[in-house]
Amino acid sequence: MLNDNPNTISTATPFTSKLVSSLAKKCHGYICINDQLNQVVNVKNKQSIKIDAVTEDVFREVYVDLKPYKKYFFYSGALNERYGIYSLIDAFKQLNRKDISLVICGYGKEPEFDDAIAGEKNIFYLGTLASEVCLAFESNSVANINPKQYDPEIDHNLLIYLKLNHNQL
């Protein structure tokens, strides 16, 4: 069962990602949450089945008090350098705007993360949030930001997918 691209596991080393990817390609069959993951590992077109991603009930109504954050930019994801979190924090600090906040939630927090946001009154780290709470923040933000820069190791499979499906885009 494959539910994520082995090359995008945020806590894995490059060696671990390559090992998982290599082992995944040796399977006799595949259960993937989408066709793109199947294309990544099922290079020999073995038997496979797609089962759409299973998610929590994200349409459940939930109240989230967003007033303390005023207007805000929102980031949700991995909290390590590889995915650009420190570039985002530095860019936000350079804005030097008191009328807008940066709200961050996510996982994989490195020790340097706390130092990067220390003393910043309009940067809020909320930990890992439930999906419906995250959606409330996403829906009400000025912008949802993904600061990850291009990484050939991570983005290679996306480029393959885009090339294979360029007529459908």
Side-chain angles (χ1 to χ4, degrees):
M1 174 86 180
L2 188 62
N3 65 359
D4 199 357
N5 184 329
N7 294 321
T8 62
I9 301 170
S10 62
T11 57
T13 64
F15 172 77
T16 303
S17 295
K18 287 179 184 177
L19 178 64
V20 170
S21 184
S22 175
L23 292 172
K25 291 176 182 175
K26 295 179 181 180
C27 292
H28 298 288
Y30 301 89
I31 302 172
C32 296
I33 62 170
N34 59 46
D35 292 327
Q36 293 77 21
L37 285 175
N38 189 48
Q39 290 174 355
V40 167
V41 294
N42 190 3
V43 294
K44 294 184 180 177
N45 292 320
K46 296 179 182 176
Q47 287 186 325
S48 66
I49 185 169
K50 179 182 83 165
I51 300 176
D52 291 326
V54 178
T55 62
E56 297 176 36
D57 180 10
V58 295
F59 298 106
R60 182 175 42 218
E61 286 194 34
V62 62
Y63 174 75
V64 179
D65 184 11
L66 302 172
K67 290 176 190 166
Y69 311 106
K70 304 173 190 167
K71 294 188 303 184
Y72 61 91
F73 296 116
F74 184 68
Y75 171 77
S76 176
L79 303 175
N80 57 45
E81 188 172 1
R82 181 179 188 187
Y83 293 99
I85 189 65
Y86 301 113
S87 297
L88 171 60
I89 292 168
D90 290 342
F92 182 77
K93 287 177 182 178
Q94 288 179 26
L95 283 178
N96 197 25
R97 300 262 315 254
K98 303 299 180 207
D99 62 328
I100 196 158
S101 299
L102 174 60
V103 177
I104 300 170
C105 73
Y107 54 90
K109 186 172 81 158
E110 299 172 323
E112 300 85 7
F113 179 82
D114 290 330
D115 292 337
I117 64 170
E120 298 295 325
K121 296 192 183 300
N122 58 343
I123 297 179
F124 300 90
Y125 171 60
L126 306 179
T128 303
L129 301 178
S131 296
E132 60 270 10
V133 175
C134 199
L135 283 173
F137 276 98
E138 289 173 354
S139 299
N140 293 285
S141 68
V142 172
N144 297 304
I145 301 173
N146 181 353
K148 185 185 82 57
Q149 295 181 359
Y150 176 76
D151 180 337
E153 185 178 326
I154 295 172
D155 299 321
H156 175 73
N157 294 320
L158 174 62
L159 293 174
I160 291 172
Y161 170 76
L162 291 173
K163 286 179 184 176
L164 291 173
N165 296 290
H166 73 279
N167 291 334
Q168 297 174 13
L169 298 175

